[in-house]
Amino acid sequence: MPMSSSSFLRQLSGKEGWKSTSKRWRGGANGGFHSSNWKQMEGLTNGYNNGGGLVMRKRVMVVVDQSSHSKHAMMWALTHVTNKGDILTLLHIVPHSSSSSTCHNNKGSCDSSASHLASSLGSLCKACKPEVEVEALVIQGPKMATVMSQVKKLEVSVLVLGQKKHTSLLSCLCGRSSEEEFVEQCINTLDCLTIGVRKQSKGMGGYLISTRWQKNFWLLA
């Protein structure tokens, strides 16, 4: 049965076992959120507490590339997770292998293409939700190691990853893809709250969400 986004995120807030290392977004002693933290995440304080003082903001990171599923995840994070004053970091990772193939002969073109992609996605997010601070990073390196280092360095609170649509038949014949294994590894090993997002078909609507506690959970848009 599908659930609304706010209900699902509220359910996540009470889960034990997630302990964020972020100084911007600290979990409670039992691994869950304090109620005051949850109000911040829902945007109820709109960046300020009742006394008019500035509250702590959270950083949301999305790993982006040229695929449609990463862009769906980016827009879902922007509209469902970020609030006024939050930071949305778009991380585009260029693998080392790129420099030894086509990019080796035209490295400047590849660098420009990667920068243009990150910049255009960042501009799209700013246009859609100007109250959220958006930054775009392009880093060359191994995908998992780069994500782990940036999550720690930037004190990321929530990591959102896009997932491809796939058929059960394809999964049975080919097994899990390297991308699916990457998402699963991030979900199970990173200290921050990590969410895999897969957009449903037009006939179904909504999203399939995966976390450390829920797998392919049907979430209404």
Side-chain angles (χ1 to χ4, degrees), residues 131-147:
E131 66 270 25
V132 172
E133 181 179 337
V134 181
E135 62 179 11
L137 302 177
V138 179
I139 300 177
Q140 186 178 58
K143 194 170 185 179
M144 187 65 199
T146 301
V147 170

Side-chain angles (χ1 to χ4, degrees), residues 24-216:
R24 294 186 180 89
W25 197 256
R26 184 71 66 181
N30 65 349
F33 292 99
H34 295 299
S35 59
S36 59
N37 292 140
W38 176 246
K39 287 181 179 180
Q40 286 175 236
M41 189 167 186
E42 286 192 311
L44 299 181
T45 58
N46 291 322
Y48 294 88
N49 60 24
N50 292 333
L54 186 66
V55 299
M56 304 298 275
R57 59 183 180 174
K58 65 182 182 292
R59 182 187 294 272
V60 180
M61 176 180 282
V62 184
V63 177
V64 296
D65 53 36
Q66 295 179 340
S67 66
S68 59
H69 57 272
S70 78
K71 294 170 186 173
H72 289 151
M74 178 189 75
M75 295 308 297
W76 184 86
L78 181 68
T79 57
H80 291 72
V81 183
T82 62
N83 298 310
K84 182 178 180 180
D86 287 344
I87 305 172
L88 177 65
T89 300
L90 306 180
L91 175 62
H92 180 41
I93 303 171
V94 181
H96 282 306
S97 58
S98 296
S99 60
S100 61
S101 55
T102 307
C103 287
H104 180 72
N105 300 322
N106 199 354
K107 187 175 185 300
S109 176
C110 288
D111 290 343
S112 176
S113 176
S115 298
H116 176 72
L117 172 67
S119 177
S120 61
L121 292 177
S123 297
L124 175 61
C125 291
K126 290 177 182 178
C128 292
K129 203 168 184 178
E131 66 270 25
V132 172
E133 181 179 337
V134 181
E135 62 179 11
L137 302 177
V138 179
I139 300 177
Q140 186 178 58
K143 194 170 185 179
M144 187 65 199
T146 301
V147 170
M148 292 179 68
S149 65
Q150 291 302 308
V151 164
K152 183 176 181 179
K153 177 182 177 180
L154 300 177
E155 298 178 337
V156 172
S157 305
V158 184
L159 174 66
V160 178
L161 303 168
Q163 292 183 286
K164 286 183 179 179
K165 298 177 183 178
H166 66 273
T167 63
S168 55
L169 177 60
L170 186 62
S171 298
C172 291
L173 294 175
C174 304
R176 289 200 306 177
S177 67
S178 59
E179 186 170 350
E180 288 176 314
E181 291 178 352
F182 163 73
V183 173
E184 191 69 19
Q185 188 177 3
C186 288
I187 288 175
N188 292 326
T189 61
L190 295 178
D191 288 331
C192 67
L193 173 60
T194 303
I195 305 174
V197 178
R198 179 182 292 117
K199 186 175 177 62
Q200 288 274 57
S201 62
K202 291 183 179 179
M204 297 291 290
Y207 297 84
L208 289 179
I209 304 297
S210 293
T211 68
R212 193 170 298 181
W213 307 279
Q214 300 276 6
K215 302 298 180 184
N216 293 324

